[in-house]
C-alpha cells in the first residue's frame, strides 16, 4: 500500500445558514454484486456545493421488501466540503436478477437543492470469504472521510478527475489487483474488511486509526479514520476460466 501522510479534519455540526445552497452525491462504486438475502455496502460522497454551511438529509427509493439504511441520514458540512456516508442495501432472500435504488441528498437550507445517485445491486452466487494465511487478490480504494482518494488499484477511479484525490496522491502508470497474504503485509483494518468480504463482492467500510498505520518507523501517519472499498477478484486458470469459488451470476 502506498505511503501517505494524512492530517485530521474535523467537521462540527451546526444549523443551516442563509445564502447560496447546493448539494451533490456520488457513489464511489455504484454497481455491486451480492447474494440474495445479503447486504451490499456503498460509500456515498456527499458534497456541499453551496457557499454556506448547510445540513443535508439523505433518503432512498428502494423496491418492495428491499431495505436501504444510512449510517447517518443527516450530515452537516461547511461550504465546498464533502463527507462519506455508508449505505447498506439488503435484499429479500427470494430476490433474483438485479435492483435499482435511488439515493437523494437534499439541502435543509433550500429544499429545492438536491442531488440523486442511482445504485445497482446484482444478485448471484458469490464465493466464500477468505481465511487467514490464504493468498488473495483484491482491487481496493483507500479514501479519507471526506472522500478524497489516497490510493487505488482501480483505473476508473485513479485516472478519473471526477473523483477527488489527496494532494499527495501518487498517480500510477498502470493498475492491477493487489496480491497479498490475508493477515500479513497489510494493516489490521484491511485484514478485518477482507475477512468479511466474499469472493466477487465489493465491500466498503471504515478503518479507525488504531487499525491503520500507527508505527512511526513506517513513515506512515494516519491520524483520522479512513475508508476502504475492497473487491475480491475471482481467480482464473491459465485458460481464462474461473476457478471454483468465483462469481457465478444467478
Amino acid at each position: 500500500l502506498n505511503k501517505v501522510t494524512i492530517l485530521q479534519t474535523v467537521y462540527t455540526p451546526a444549523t443551516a445558514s442563509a445564502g447560496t445552497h447546493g448539494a451533490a452525491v456520488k457513489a464511489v462504486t455504484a454497481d455491486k454484486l451480492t447474494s440474495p438475502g445479503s447486504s451490499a455496502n456503498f460509500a456515498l460522497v456527499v458534497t456541499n456545493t453551496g457557499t454556506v454551511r448547510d445540513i443535508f438529509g439523505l433518503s432512498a427509493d428502494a423496491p418492495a421488501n428491499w431495505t436501504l439504511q444510512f449510517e447517518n441520514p443527516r450530515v452537516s458540512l461547511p461550504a465546498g466540503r464533502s463527507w462519506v456516508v455508508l449505505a447498506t442495501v439488503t435484499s429479500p432472500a427470494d430476490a433474483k436478477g438485479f435492483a435499482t435504488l435511488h439515493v437523494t441528498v437534499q439541502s435543509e437550507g433550500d429544499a429545492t437543492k438536491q442531488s440523486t445517485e442511482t445504485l445497482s445491486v446484482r444478485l448471484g452466487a458469490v464465493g466464500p470469504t477468505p481465511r487467514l494465511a490464504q493468498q488473495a487478490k483484491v482491487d481496493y480504494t483507500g479514501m479519507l472521510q471526506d472522500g478524497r482518494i489516497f490510493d487505488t488499484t482501480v483505473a476508473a477511479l485513479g485516472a478519473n478527475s471526477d473523483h477527488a484525490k489527496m494532494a499527495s496522491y501518487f498517480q500510477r502508470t498502470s493498475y492491477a489487483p493487489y496480491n497479498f497474504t490475508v493477515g500479513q503485509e497489510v494493516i489490521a483494518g484491511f485484514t478485518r474488511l477482507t475477512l468479511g468480504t466474499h469472493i466477487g463482492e465489493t465491500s466498503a467500510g471504515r478503518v479507525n486509526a488504531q487499525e491503520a498505520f500507527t508505527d512511526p518507523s513506517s513513515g506512515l501517519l494516519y491520524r483520522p479514520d479512513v475508508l476502504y472499498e475492497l473487491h475480491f477478484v475471482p481467480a482464473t486458470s491459465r485458460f481464462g476460466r474461473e476457478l471454483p469459488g468465483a462469481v457465478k451470476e444467478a
Side-chain angles (χ1 to χ4, degrees):
L1 303 182
N2 286 337
K3 296 182 178 181
V4 295
T5 298
I6 299 175
L7 299 180
Q8 187 168 14
T9 302
V10 177
Y11 297 135
T12 304
T15 58
S17 304
T20 303
H21 300 270
V25 60
K26 185 177 183 64
V28 177
T29 302
D31 178 82
K32 297 197 174 184
L33 170 74
T34 191
S35 57
S38 298
S39 298
N41 294 327
F42 291 84
L44 305 172
V45 183
V46 178
T47 302
N48 180 352
T49 60
T51 60
V52 294
R53 178 182 286 275
D54 203 351
I55 298 174
F56 302 90
L58 288 85
S59 60
D61 176 17
N65 300 320
W66 286 66
T67 62
L68 191 156
Q69 184 174 2
F70 300 107
E71 65 172 349
N72 187 351
R74 195 165 177 260
V75 182
S76 174
L77 289 172
R81 295 300 185 93
S82 302
W83 195 257
V84 176
V85 175
L86 295 178
T88 301
V89 177
T90 304
S91 66
D94 59 351
K96 296 181 180 180
F98 71 95
T100 300
L101 304 91
H102 303 284
V103 172
T104 299
V105 170
Q106 184 178 53
S107 162
E108 291 189 4
D110 181 350
T112 66
K113 305 299 183 182
Q114 56 184 250
S115 176
T116 300
E117 173 71 302
T118 299
L119 307 179
S120 178
V121 178
R122 292 172 291 118
L123 297 169
V126 297
T129 55
R131 298 188 302 272
L132 289 172
Q134 281 188 326
Q135 293 295 307
K137 181 191 295 186
V138 299
D139 270 316
Y140 70 84
T141 299
M143 68 200 89
L144 303 184
Q145 295 192 87
D146 62 6
R148 284 178 296 159
I149 294 172
F150 58 81
D151 191 18
T152 184
T153 62
V154 183
L157 296 175
N160 189 339
S161 60
D162 289 342
H163 293 273
K165 312 293 193 304
M166 283 188 63
S168 58
Y169 175 77
F170 175 76
Q171 184 70 54
R172 296 172 183 264
T173 56
S174 62
Y175 294 85
Y178 177 60
N179 294 279
F180 70 106
T181 303
V182 179
Q184 304 174 27
E185 310 164 26
V186 294
I187 59 175
F190 199 96
T191 296
R192 174 175 57 79
L193 294 177
T194 297
L195 294 173
T197 304
H198 291 265
I199 295 174
E201 286 185 330
T202 302
S203 64
R206 297 190 186 276
V207 174
N208 61 48
Q210 289 71 36
E211 294 180 298
F213 301 96
T214 57
D215 180 5
S217 65
S218 68
L220 302 170
L221 179 59
Y222 277 27
R223 288 181 177 172
D225 297 349
V226 295
L227 297 96
Y228 274 98
E229 272 207 346
L230 306 179
H231 170 66
F232 254 103
V233 181
T236 56
S237 71
R238 62 190 179 94
F239 302 106
R241 293 192 294 268
E242 291 183 345
L243 296 175
V247 178
K248 296 180 180 179
E249 296 287 342

